[in-house]
Amino acid sequence: MTTDKNQTVPPEVGSPAPLPVANEASATEQPAAFPAHLDGLADRARGYVEAASSANTRRAYASDWKHFSAWCRRQSLSLLPPEPQIVGLYVTACASGAVGGDRKPNSVSTIERRLSSLTWNYAQRGQPLDRKDRHIATVMAGIRNSHARPPVQKEAVMPEDIIAMLETLDRGTLRGLRDRAMLLIGFAGGLRRSEIVGLDVKKDQTEDGRGWIEILEKGLIVTLRGKTGWREVEIGRGSSDATCPVTALDTWLSLARIAHGPVFRRVTGQGKAVGADRLNDQEVARLVKRAALAAGVRGDLTEGERALKFSGHSLRAGLASSAEVDERYVQKQLGHTSAEMTRKYQRRRDRFRVNLTKAAGL
């Protein structure tokens, strides 16, 4: 295990070349520079690298690498080459709350994500990290056995909750009309928050768009580039204009005079002016939380408990939990590759539907 107090920490993710440490004996040899006429291809290659993962994933990987780098620097340990023993000590520190700046031990899911981030970052530097090495695998097995907790899931907002949430929005402002459309489209489509704000009016209208819409007589077709590739989502018209996602979207686009570019944008000027910028996906989470609290959803809980219950995922979970149809249709709508993943979103929907106690004769 090599140490070097004066080591230069590699920069953030995204560098295509291996990165050296200050210690010349362990420095990684830099590859020869590309000819100038290949600069365009190199730029495009970097663009494809970015397109391979979402912006949220890249931010998380960069943050975790920075976290690990800072820990190594404080311990006078070298980042390169990857040492399983060092990584094993790092995840142990994360589990015990012994990493500077962390006030309490990291959860198992956070440690798993940090380990995935390190694996990805080392791979980008051409120096793979072996996660199956005993110094990592055995420590992680012990961490899971000692600290694992049941997964904390966000509350599913059911149809009656959505209706109550819609009533808290101002129909007289563009912001209220936009928020109604986002809630209804997100719920009926079972969309992720990044998919909601990533929609464009038509195909190939923006560089950062992740899909587009097509309003038809019987409903809405949403074409999405999601985690599992391209997929089409059908959103049918509702039984009432007041709760119809297609009507809400059409109203928003018409009154906001949006015919090109991002569907959901910032609204300024006391809710009367529409900007050109696409909404951040965090706005969806804030909207769901704000509307759910205003509508009194889960009023049996304290204010603090309720604030932790809702997020953008509440919309996807709500559709999965309330749609009384064959599970495979829900799986297709949510874009899941397995039925098991879909069942994780179906909060209590199928509990006791099959009673094995009675079926066994008791």
Side-chain angles (χ1 to χ4, degrees), residues 3-14:
T3 63
D4 183 4
K5 293 184 179 180
N6 298 318
Q7 161 191 283
T8 300
V9 178
E12 299 296 331
V13 296

Side-chain angles (χ1 to χ4, degrees), residues 318-336:
L319 177 73
S321 301
S322 58
E324 295 291 339
V325 296
D326 191 298
E327 188 178 77
R328 57 184 171 173
Y329 295 113
V330 179
Q331 180 182 339
K332 179 177 182 293
Q333 189 83 342
L334 269 60
H336 289 154

Side-chain angles (χ1 to χ4, degrees), residues 52-273:
S53 57
S54 70
N56 286 340
T57 298
R58 293 195 299 274
R59 281 194 292 268
Y61 282 0
S63 175
D64 289 336
W65 182 254
K66 183 178 180 181
H67 188 267
F68 176 60
S69 300
W71 180 83
C72 284
R73 190 164 49 246
R74 288 192 298 272
Q75 310 306 319
S76 299
L77 297 173
S78 178
L79 280 167
L80 294 172
E83 290 280 359
Q85 298 98 319
I86 291 179
V87 175
L89 290 175
Y90 170 68
V91 297
T92 300
C94 291
S96 59
V99 180
D102 291 344
R103 298 180 179 178
K104 60 181 181 180
N106 291 166
S107 67
V108 174
S109 61
T110 296
I111 297 172
E112 294 275 14
R113 190 204 68 218
R114 292 196 192 282
L115 186 54
S116 295
S117 298
L118 297 189
T119 303
W120 186 90
N121 275 282
Y122 274 124
Q124 302 311 301
R125 288 157 173 79
Q127 301 193 36
L129 172 67
D130 183 10
R131 290 183 59 166
K132 294 182 180 179
D133 185 281
R134 63 186 180 86
H135 294 96
I136 299 175
T138 306
V139 170
M140 283 304 304
I143 289 173
R144 293 187 193 99
N145 288 338
S146 302
H147 300 291
R149 298 288 185 272
V152 178
Q153 295 181 318
K154 294 299 182 179
E155 188 80 9
V157 290
M158 306 301 277
E160 59 271 22
D161 300 326
I162 287 289
I163 293 173
M165 290 161 67
L166 293 175
E167 290 301 316
T168 68
L169 304 177
D170 187 356
R171 299 190 186 191
T173 65
L174 288 172
R175 181 178 289 111
L177 294 176
R178 180 202 66 189
D179 290 351
R180 290 177 63 84
M182 285 201 297
L183 285 178
L184 287 168
I185 291 295
F187 179 85
L191 304 183
R192 300 176 178 90
R193 66 190 192 191
S194 60
E195 293 172 341
I196 296 172
V197 300
L199 291 176
D200 287 340
V201 178
K202 297 293 182 183
K203 181 180 179 181
D204 296 333
Q205 289 187 331
T206 66
E207 292 185 0
D208 62 340
R210 302 189 63 82
W212 63 90
I213 61 173
E214 184 180 4
I215 299 178
L216 305 174
E217 182 181 352
K218 292 185 177 181
L220 173 71
I221 301 294
V222 180
T223 304
L224 294 167
R225 183 176 72 241
K227 289 185 176 180
T228 56
W230 286 99
R231 79 181 195 274
E232 281 191 352
V233 173
E234 297 180 3
I235 300 178
R237 293 186 180 273
S239 56
S240 166
D241 283 348
T243 57
C244 175
V246 185
T247 299
L249 179 62
D250 198 25
T251 301
W252 156 247
L253 292 175
S254 177
L255 295 182
R257 299 181 180 180
I258 297 175
H260 186 278
V263 170
F264 295 114
R265 312 177 182 194
R266 297 197 174 278
V267 176
T268 59
Q270 297 182 336
K272 297 180 180 179

